[in-house]
Amino acid sequence: MLCVTDPLPARPRRIVVAGVSGVGKTTLARRIAEITGIPHTEIDALFHGPDWTPRPAFVDDVRALVARDTWVTEWQYSDARPLLTARADLLVWLDLPFATATLPRVVARTVRRRLRRERLWNGNLEPPLRTFFTDPEHIVRWSFATRRKYRERIPALRRDLPVVRLRRRRDVERWVAGALTDTVR
Protein backbone atom coordinates (compact mmCIF):
# COMPACT_ATOMS: atom_id res chain seq x y z
CA MET A 1 0.00 0.00 0.00
CA LEU A 2 1.33 3.41 -0.98
CA CYS A 3 1.11 6.48 1.21
CA VAL A 4 0.73 10.11 0.26
CA THR A 5 4.43 10.71 -0.37
CA ASP A 6 5.25 7.51 -2.28
CA PRO A 7 5.83 7.96 -6.00
CA LEU A 8 3.48 6.08 -8.28
CA PRO A 9 5.11 3.05 -9.93
CA ALA A 10 3.95 4.14 -13.41
CA ARG A 11 1.71 6.66 -15.09
CA PRO A 12 -1.81 5.36 -14.39
CA ARG A 13 -4.26 4.90 -17.26
CA ARG A 14 -7.20 3.19 -15.52
CA ILE A 15 -7.95 4.56 -12.06
CA VAL A 16 -10.61 3.77 -9.47
CA VAL A 17 -11.34 5.89 -6.43
CA ALA A 18 -12.66 3.98 -3.41
CA GLY A 19 -14.26 5.05 -0.16
CA VAL A 20 -17.46 5.20 1.79
CA SER A 21 -20.47 7.06 0.38
CA GLY A 22 -20.03 10.81 0.69
CA VAL A 23 -16.27 10.81 1.25
CA GLY A 24 -15.53 12.67 -2.00
CA LYS A 25 -14.82 9.91 -4.53
CA THR A 26 -16.44 11.66 -7.47
CA THR A 27 -14.84 15.00 -6.62
CA LEU A 28 -11.39 13.40 -6.50
CA ALA A 29 -12.06 11.31 -9.63
CA ARG A 30 -12.90 14.52 -11.53
CA ARG A 31 -9.70 16.16 -10.30
CA ILE A 32 -7.64 13.14 -11.33
CA ALA A 33 -9.27 13.20 -14.76
CA GLU A 34 -8.50 16.89 -15.16
CA ILE A 35 -4.83 16.49 -14.17
CA THR A 36 -4.19 13.34 -16.18
CA GLY A 37 -6.36 14.11 -19.21
CA ILE A 38 -8.08 10.75 -18.72
CA PRO A 39 -11.88 10.73 -19.17
CA HIS A 40 -14.01 10.39 -16.03
CA THR A 41 -17.21 8.35 -16.04
CA GLU A 42 -19.40 8.77 -12.98
CA ILE A 43 -20.45 5.26 -12.07
CA ASP A 44 -23.63 6.45 -10.34
CA ALA A 45 -24.80 7.76 -13.73
CA LEU A 46 -24.38 4.27 -15.17
CA PHE A 47 -26.18 2.60 -12.25
CA HIS A 48 -29.21 4.79 -11.49
CA GLY A 49 -32.15 4.84 -13.85
CA PRO A 50 -35.28 6.97 -13.47
CA ASP A 51 -36.93 6.78 -10.03
CA TRP A 52 -33.67 5.43 -8.56
CA THR A 53 -34.12 2.06 -10.23
CA PRO A 54 -30.97 0.17 -11.20
CA ARG A 55 -30.40 0.30 -14.95
CA PRO A 56 -30.56 -3.16 -16.58
CA ALA A 57 -27.60 -2.23 -18.81
CA PHE A 58 -25.39 -1.31 -15.85
CA VAL A 59 -23.01 -4.29 -15.93
CA ASP A 60 -22.74 -4.13 -19.74
CA ASP A 61 -21.96 -0.41 -19.48
CA VAL A 62 -19.25 -1.12 -16.90
CA ARG A 63 -17.78 -3.80 -19.17
CA ALA A 64 -17.69 -1.28 -22.02
CA LEU A 65 -16.06 1.28 -19.73
CA VAL A 66 -13.29 -1.04 -18.53
CA ALA A 67 -12.58 -2.18 -22.08
CA ARG A 68 -11.34 1.33 -22.91
CA ASP A 69 -7.65 2.14 -22.76
CA THR A 70 -8.06 4.94 -20.23
CA TRP A 71 -10.67 5.84 -17.63
CA VAL A 72 -11.27 7.17 -14.13
CA THR A 73 -14.31 6.15 -12.09
CA GLU A 74 -15.51 5.37 -8.59
CA TRP A 75 -15.10 1.90 -7.08
CA GLN A 76 -18.72 1.13 -6.19
CA TYR A 77 -21.42 -1.51 -6.59
CA SER A 78 -20.77 -5.17 -5.94
CA ASP A 79 -21.40 -6.17 -9.58
CA ALA A 80 -18.93 -3.57 -10.84
CA ARG A 81 -16.07 -3.79 -8.35
CA PRO A 82 -14.53 -7.02 -9.72
CA LEU A 83 -14.72 -5.72 -13.30
CA LEU A 84 -13.12 -2.41 -12.31
CA THR A 85 -10.43 -4.03 -10.18
CA ALA A 86 -9.48 -6.52 -12.89
CA ARG A 87 -8.62 -3.71 -15.33
CA ALA A 88 -7.50 -0.88 -13.03
CA ASP A 89 -3.84 -0.06 -12.69
CA LEU A 90 -4.31 2.22 -9.67
CA LEU A 91 -6.78 2.38 -6.79
CA VAL A 92 -6.95 5.54 -4.70
CA TRP A 93 -8.54 4.89 -1.31
CA LEU A 94 -10.10 7.85 0.48
CA ASP A 95 -9.96 6.61 4.06
CA LEU A 96 -10.79 9.90 5.76
CA PRO A 97 -12.05 10.12 9.36
CA PHE A 98 -15.75 9.37 9.28
CA ALA A 99 -17.02 11.62 12.09
CA THR A 100 -15.06 14.74 11.16
CA ALA A 101 -14.75 14.51 7.38
CA THR A 102 -17.17 12.09 5.72
CA LEU A 103 -20.29 12.45 7.86
CA PRO A 104 -20.45 16.26 7.70
CA ARG A 105 -19.78 16.10 3.96
CA VAL A 106 -22.48 13.53 3.16
CA VAL A 107 -25.05 15.33 5.35
CA ALA A 108 -24.30 18.75 3.82
CA ARG A 109 -24.36 17.36 0.28
CA THR A 110 -27.63 15.53 0.85
CA VAL A 111 -29.34 18.56 2.41
CA ARG A 112 -28.02 20.89 -0.33
CA ARG A 113 -29.20 18.58 -3.11
CA ARG A 114 -32.63 18.24 -1.56
CA LEU A 115 -33.19 21.91 -0.76
CA ARG A 116 -31.98 23.03 -4.19
CA ARG A 117 -33.83 20.15 -5.85
CA GLU A 118 -30.68 19.34 -7.82
CA ARG A 119 -31.27 16.92 -10.66
CA LEU A 120 -29.03 13.91 -10.37
CA TRP A 121 -28.58 10.92 -12.65
CA ASN A 122 -31.43 10.34 -15.08
CA GLY A 123 -33.57 13.06 -13.51
CA ASN A 124 -33.51 11.71 -9.96
CA LEU A 125 -33.87 13.97 -6.92
CA GLU A 126 -32.73 13.36 -3.36
CA PRO A 127 -35.73 12.02 -1.45
CA PRO A 128 -37.40 14.14 1.25
CA LEU A 129 -35.15 14.64 4.26
CA ARG A 130 -37.61 12.81 6.52
CA THR A 131 -36.70 9.57 4.72
CA PHE A 132 -33.52 9.56 6.79
CA PHE A 133 -35.74 8.16 9.57
CA THR A 134 -37.72 5.70 7.44
CA ASP A 135 -35.38 4.37 4.75
CA PRO A 136 -32.54 2.11 5.95
CA GLU A 137 -30.78 2.73 2.62
CA HIS A 138 -30.92 6.53 2.92
CA ILE A 139 -27.51 7.74 1.77
CA VAL A 140 -26.50 9.13 5.17
CA ARG A 141 -27.56 5.94 6.95
CA TRP A 142 -25.88 3.84 4.25
CA SER A 143 -22.66 5.79 4.67
CA PHE A 144 -22.72 5.20 8.42
CA ALA A 145 -23.57 1.51 8.11
CA THR A 146 -20.82 0.79 5.56
CA ARG A 147 -18.11 3.08 6.95
CA ARG A 148 -15.79 0.20 7.90
CA LYS A 149 -16.35 -2.08 4.87
CA TYR A 150 -13.43 -0.73 2.86
CA ARG A 151 -10.98 -1.75 5.57
CA GLU A 152 -12.02 -5.32 4.75
CA ARG A 153 -12.41 -5.02 0.98
CA ILE A 154 -9.29 -3.17 -0.04
CA PRO A 155 -6.64 -5.33 1.68
CA ALA A 156 -8.27 -8.35 0.00
CA LEU A 157 -7.62 -6.98 -3.51
CA ARG A 158 -5.18 -8.50 -5.92
CA ARG A 159 -1.61 -7.89 -4.90
CA ASP A 160 -0.39 -6.30 -8.15
CA LEU A 161 -2.83 -3.39 -7.97
CA PRO A 162 -1.12 -0.35 -6.43
CA VAL A 163 -3.30 1.23 -3.75
CA VAL A 164 -2.77 4.78 -2.52
CA ARG A 165 -4.34 5.27 0.91
CA LEU A 166 -5.22 8.86 1.77
CA ARG A 167 -6.22 9.36 5.40
CA ARG A 168 -6.65 13.13 5.76
CA ARG A 169 -7.89 15.96 3.57
CA ARG A 170 -4.42 17.45 3.49
CA ASP A 171 -3.10 14.07 2.28
CA VAL A 172 -5.45 14.32 -0.69
CA GLU A 173 -4.07 17.74 -1.60
CA ARG A 174 -0.45 16.63 -1.09
CA TRP A 175 -0.95 13.52 -3.23
CA VAL A 176 -2.68 15.38 -6.06
CA ALA A 177 -0.02 18.11 -6.12
CA GLY A 178 2.84 15.65 -5.59
CA ALA A 179 2.81 12.02 -6.70
CA LEU A 180 -0.08 12.29 -9.16
CA THR A 181 1.08 15.49 -10.82
CA ASP A 182 4.72 14.28 -10.91
CA THR A 183 3.65 11.08 -12.70
CA VAL A 184 1.88 12.87 -15.54
CA ARG A 185 4.55 15.48 -16.25
Side-chain angles (χ1 to χ4, degrees):
M1 193 148 328
L2 302 172
C3 72
V4 63
T5 57
D6 291 330
L8 296 178
R11 182 181 179 139
R13 298 177 322 129
R14 295 177 300 277
I15 306 162
V16 287
V17 180
V20 69
S21 295
V23 74
K25 294 181 300 293
T26 301
T27 300
L28 181 57
R30 286 183 184 131
R31 289 181 69 192
I32 291 169
E34 184 179 307
I35 290 166
T36 61
I38 296 172
H40 170 245
T41 299
E42 190 171 353
I43 202 159
D44 280 329
L46 300 179
F47 182 81
H48 293 292
D51 298 321
W52 296 105
T53 58
R55 293 181 54 255
F58 173 64
V59 172
D60 290 335
D61 290 344
V62 173
R63 282 190 184 106
L65 169 67
V66 301
R68 298 180 196 158
D69 289 334
T70 59
W71 44 265
V72 178
T73 195
E74 301 80 22
W75 194 63
Q76 296 179 178
Y77 304 108
S78 57
D79 290 343
R81 282 190 191 105
L83 300 170
L84 296 165
T85 304
R87 287 277 294 151
D89 52 28
L90 179 66
L91 185 141
V92 181
W93 178 15
L94 288 174
D95 188 22
L96 306 182
F98 186 79
T100 59
T102 304
L103 183 59
R105 182 182 179 112
V106 73
V107 168
R109 181 190 73 183
T110 302
V111 169
R112 183 196 75 236
R113 285 175 172 176
R114 180 61 193 172
L115 294 178
R116 293 182 183 172
R117 302 192 55 77
E118 291 178 22
R119 294 266 172 213
L120 301 171
W121 319 278
N122 295 303
N124 291 306
L125 296 172
E126 288 285 352
L129 295 175
R130 70 179 176 276
T131 61
F132 171 82
F133 300 103
T134 60
D135 182 0
E137 292 191 357
H138 185 280
I139 192 66
V140 176
R141 290 176 70 177
W142 180 262
S143 182
F144 182 79
T146 61
R147 69 192 181 282
R148 293 186 181 102
K149 295 281 186 189
Y150 289 87
R151 293 188 180 163
E152 300 164 10
R153 290 178 178 147
I154 292 178
L157 293 175
R158 67 178 215 251
R159 298 286 179 211
D160 62 333
L161 176 62
V163 175
V164 176
R165 186 177 189 183
L166 304 173
R167 297 177 143 206
R168 292 178 292 279
R169 287 182 184 157
R170 71 176 176 254
D171 288 351
V172 174
E173 298 308 317
R174 285 181 64 199
W175 181 78
V176 166
L180 179 65
T181 299
D182 291 348
T183 303
V184 298
R185 284 186 184 159

